[in-house]
Amino acid sequence: MTFLLLVVAGVGAGLTGTIAGLASLASYPALLAVGLPPLAANVTNSVALLANTVGAVSGSRPELKGHWKRALELAGVSLLGGALGGVLLLWTPSDAFEKIVPFLIGGASIAILIRRPGEVQALESRPAWPTLVSIFLIGIYGGYFGAAAGVLMLAVLLAIGTGTLARAGAYRNVVLGAANGVAAIGFALFGPVVWSAALPLAIGCFVGARIGPIVVRHAPSDALRVVIALAGLGLAAWLAYDAFYL
């Protein structure tokens, strides 16, 4: 039953991750529910989400056609941030970690509701330094804790003119995937990964992430923003209650 629960949670994580960058909305609480402590749940989640990146990028190939070079350039910046974020996580006491997470998720969930004028502009010929700094900082957060990092990255990518929500999401899958990937490698080597939980979660993540880009191509983007933002706020409230009152 635990195996099946984590597979189902992984499918949900893959779907929500590729739609709006909230993969951990489903996967992280599931790991807590099967008994993992917060730090172990986070590093196990990050390792399992490698499968989410593989599925999401492969499913986003139509949107990435002609855009691979730019996406990989931005991914290099995010990768550096992810490496730093992974180191910070392993040095952060678990009690402090529990109390920080709800605020990060809540802020990111609100951010997805804000429409930016830059969403309809042409893609920057060369990313300005504020863009690179933003991607680096979000990469740090992605390596530190993946929940809702995709929402923040999506906002930045829309603002620099990557195009439609589907294309910006495809960029996000590559750019944030680099940060998550390098952090996950570090966790696999040095962190308390629970491999018996990571495997079924990864299986589900891959399946959900392959389906997610199809949903994004055909669903109304405004409705997706609202649904995912409300779900993220709900998760933030639940984790805050768990951290401060239980």
Side-chain angles (χ1 to χ4, degrees):
M1 289 302 295
T2 298
F3 190 95
L4 291 176
L5 169 65
L6 291 174
V7 170
V8 172
V11 173
L15 284 168
T16 57
T18 49
I19 291 169
L22 282 168
S24 294
L25 178 68
S27 56
Y28 181 69
L31 290 169
L32 294 177
V34 298
L36 273 65
L39 182 59
N42 186 54
V43 298
T44 301
N45 186 50
S46 294
V47 171
L49 288 180
L50 283 172
N52 184 78
T53 297
V54 174
V57 173
S58 61
S60 299
R61 284 177 295 175
E63 286 79 17
L64 289 168
K65 186 177 182 179
H67 293 264
W68 280 103
K69 181 179 179 181
R70 176 56 53 80
L72 291 174
E73 289 173 351
L74 298 177
V77 178
S78 179
L79 185 147
L80 295 175
L84 179 57
V87 171
L88 290 175
L89 174 62
L90 294 177
W91 286 353
T92 302
S94 59
D95 290 344
F97 172 73
E98 282 188 86
K99 291 177 172 56
I100 291 170
V101 167
F103 299 101
L104 297 177
I105 296 177
S109 300
I110 293 171
I112 198 175
L113 294 173
I114 303 173
R115 271 197 171 275
R116 291 158 178 80
E119 293 183 17
V120 296
Q121 296 175 358
L123 183 63
E124 292 177 347
S125 58
R126 173 169 293 187
W129 70 264
T131 298
L132 297 178
V133 170
S134 297
I135 289 174
F136 177 71
L137 293 175
I138 297 169
I140 293 175
Y141 172 49
Y144 182 81
F145 185 64
V151 175
L152 295 174
M153 189 68 78
L154 186 65
V156 171
L157 293 170
L158 285 169
I160 65 173
T162 47
T164 64
L165 183 64
R167 177 163 291 147
Y171 264 81
R172 179 206 57 219
N173 295 335
V174 176
V175 177
L176 191 58
N180 293 340
V182 69
I185 291 171
F187 297 153
L189 294 174
F190 305 109
V193 177
V194 180
W195 293 101
S196 60
L199 176 60
L201 191 61
I203 293 171
C205 281
F206 180 80
V207 173
R210 287 289 284 141
I211 299 170
I214 300 172
V215 176
V216 175
R217 286 185 200 118
H218 298 95
S221 61
D222 288 342
L224 286 177
R225 289 175 189 248
V226 172
V227 170
I228 298 300
L230 291 176
L233 288 171
L235 173 62
W238 180 76
L239 291 176
Y241 178 76
D242 183 62
F244 292 98
Y245 297 105
L246 291 184

